[in-house]
Amino acid sequence: AVREALPERYRVIAMVGAGLGLRQGEAFGLSPDDIDWLRGTVQVRRQVKLVGPHQVFGPPKYGREREVPLPDSVKEWLAAYLAKWPARPITLPWRDHEKGKPVTVPLMATTRERTVINRSYFNSNIWKPALREAGVPVTRANGTHALRHFFASALLDGGESIRAVSEYLGHADPGFTLRTYTHL
């Protein structure tokens, strides 16, 4: 319901959060170049993060690049999304907004103005109104991070090992994943 309440252009954030377990910044930094359509996998290589008021590309949290399986349902949805909303090349500095080497990546999560989605703007003006429209309480617990919990819970409920789920989420310690996600 929340995904459907989002403006169509931004539904990709909900889909890759719930379907691939990406963090918000990783979803903002996802490129079609990261998708291996034939093998059915996604490489999580970067995130878009804020350094002060500036957006930069950086490695995923804790520097842990990873490979995540791409379910057929998500693959089909992403192919249709990209047919309607092609990725746009975005240039941001790597890690440091003043000294970082500029990197250009075609991104899926862009605005009408051909820029990366600003996290603060997205949360306040896109995500929270979608929660309200879907009848979901607007609380911190219902932020985009809840999509990772949904992803992990669905995999664990489907019989995936805690070790595999931990790797897909980019956790170094399966024990952390076990403590964080098995209550759901």
Side-chain angles (χ1 to χ4, degrees):
V2 173
R3 184 187 72 201
E4 295 306 310
L6 289 166
E8 192 175 1
R9 170 181 234 104
Y10 303 116
R11 290 178 185 168
V12 68
I13 302 302
M15 195 61 170
V16 300
L20 301 173
L22 301 189
R23 295 176 178 94
Q24 187 181 61
E26 295 167 347
F28 291 167
L30 184 64
S31 169
D33 295 346
D34 300 327
I35 301 170
D36 187 328
W37 301 95
L38 295 175
R39 287 186 52 234
T41 59
V42 173
Q43 296 295 320
V44 182
R45 297 179 171 129
R46 81 193 67 71
Q47 65 174 315
V48 174
K49 49 193 269 186
L50 286 175
V51 177
H54 304 280
Q55 290 182 314
V56 299
F57 285 127
K61 193 170 183 178
Y62 306 120
R64 292 195 185 98
E65 292 188 16
R66 62 192 187 277
E67 184 174 270
V68 179
L70 177 62
D72 287 340
S73 59
V74 178
K75 183 192 312 188
E76 292 167 12
W77 191 94
L78 285 172
Y81 175 86
L82 287 166
K84 184 164 187 170
W85 306 100
R88 297 174 175 167
I90 300 292
T91 302
L92 291 174
W94 186 260
R95 291 188 183 223
D96 185 309
H97 74 279
E98 291 179 357
K99 300 176 191 171
K101 178 183 174 187
V103 176
T104 301
V105 178
L107 299 183
M108 293 188 270
T110 59
T111 67
R112 288 183 194 93
E113 295 78 26
R114 298 179 184 264
T115 60
V116 177
I117 298 171
N118 176 290
R119 177 185 312 258
S120 298
Y121 180 84
F122 179 84
N123 291 336
S124 297
N125 298 297
I126 298 171
W127 186 257
K128 288 178 182 177
L131 290 175
R132 284 191 279 282
E133 186 177 323
V136 176
V138 179
T139 65
R140 180 171 170 77
N142 292 326
T144 58
H145 195 77
L147 300 169
R148 279 174 59 84
H149 287 263
F150 173 85
F151 170 79
S153 297
L155 290 179
L156 292 170
D157 186 57
E160 188 68 77
S161 76
I162 195 70
R163 177 176 288 293
V165 173
S166 180
E167 288 174 13
Y168 301 155
L169 293 172
H171 296 159
D173 174 20
F176 172 81
T177 307
L178 190 63
R179 290 186 301 277
T180 306
Y181 294 97
T182 55
H183 70 281
L184 298 173

